[in-house]
Amino acid sequence: MDEKEDLNYPSYAFIALARRGMEKISLDQCFLKNCDNEDPNLIEPFKKEVVKDEKKTVEKIHIKCKKCNRIFILKFETINYVAKSTKDKEEKPLSIGLIYALDENEKNLGHIGYF
Ligand SMILES: [Zn+2]
């Protein structure tokens, strides 16, 4: 498997807005405090960890921000009980996955949205 390909992650997260549907935000940005980097060219994923158990799959993408020269982690958590539809490709499960931002020491910076 191509290791670079394996570092791919969703480009967008969806945030639920009360009564107003979902808002799409870019994940090509730095989620660390005091950094406003939104340039995809300054965002460099370099490591991926995958942990699977019976209930969920957790993928952690370690990302270097070339603007503030710090590291953060995007954590993608997929709950496994969401049944995949085999009948209709267009049909997507309601609950897909949760995205969190963590700092270099895996301290939770907050829930970003859904993917
Ligand atoms: Zn940054």
Side-chain angles (χ1 to χ4, degrees), residues 1-8 48 50 52:
M1 202 187 280
D2 186 339
E3 264 183 47
K4 262 197 165 173
E5 279 294 299
D6 199 41
L7 289 172
N8 282 343
K48 182 179 190 173
V50 181
K52 286 184 185 182

Side-chain angles (χ1 to χ4, degrees), residues 3-49:
E3 264 183 47
K4 262 197 165 173
E5 279 294 299
D6 199 41
L7 289 172
N8 282 343
Y9 60 92
S11 305
Y12 294 97
F14 294 90
I15 300 172
L17 301 171
R19 297 193 187 90
R20 289 196 294 139
M22 305 282 267
E23 188 182 348
K24 197 168 146 184
I25 64 154
S26 174
L27 292 175
D28 288 326
Q29 61 171 291
C30 180
F31 288 94
L32 293 165
K33 264 184 193 169
N34 305 319
C35 183
D36 60 357
N37 180 17
E38 292 183 358
D39 183 347
N41 297 316
L42 297 176
I43 295 286
E44 187 180 279
F46 63 94
K47 192 169 106 180
K48 182 179 190 173
E49 288 176 72

Side-chain angles (χ1 to χ4, degrees), residues 30 32 35-37 65 67-70 72:
C30 180
L32 293 165
C35 183
D36 60 357
N37 180 17
C65 171
K67 187 166 182 177
C68 65
N69 285 313
R70 288 179 292 174
F72 66 97

Side-chain angles (χ1 to χ4, degrees), residues 49-114:
E49 288 176 72
V50 181
V51 181
K52 286 184 185 182
D53 66 21
E54 284 178 12
K55 289 177 185 167
K56 63 188 180 182
T57 301
V58 176
E59 291 182 35
K60 286 182 194 163
I61 312 286
H62 296 243
I63 297 165
K64 169 138 193 189
C65 171
K66 293 180 183 172
K67 187 166 182 177
C68 65
N69 285 313
R70 288 179 292 174
I71 287 162
F72 66 97
I73 298 167
L74 287 178
K75 186 171 98 172
F76 297 88
E77 196 174 285
T78 311
I79 311 294
N80 287 341
Y81 65 69
V82 178
K84 270 188 190 162
S85 174
T86 50
K87 288 176 191 165
D88 183 0
K89 275 188 199 169
E90 302 298 313
E91 193 183 315
K92 287 188 177 167
L94 286 175
S95 174
I96 309 167
L98 300 166
I99 307 171
Y100 299 89
L102 310 175
D103 72 9
E104 195 175 357
N105 302 313
E106 309 225 348
K107 183 175 165 255
N108 198 345
L109 301 173
H111 173 217
I112 300 171
Y114 305 90

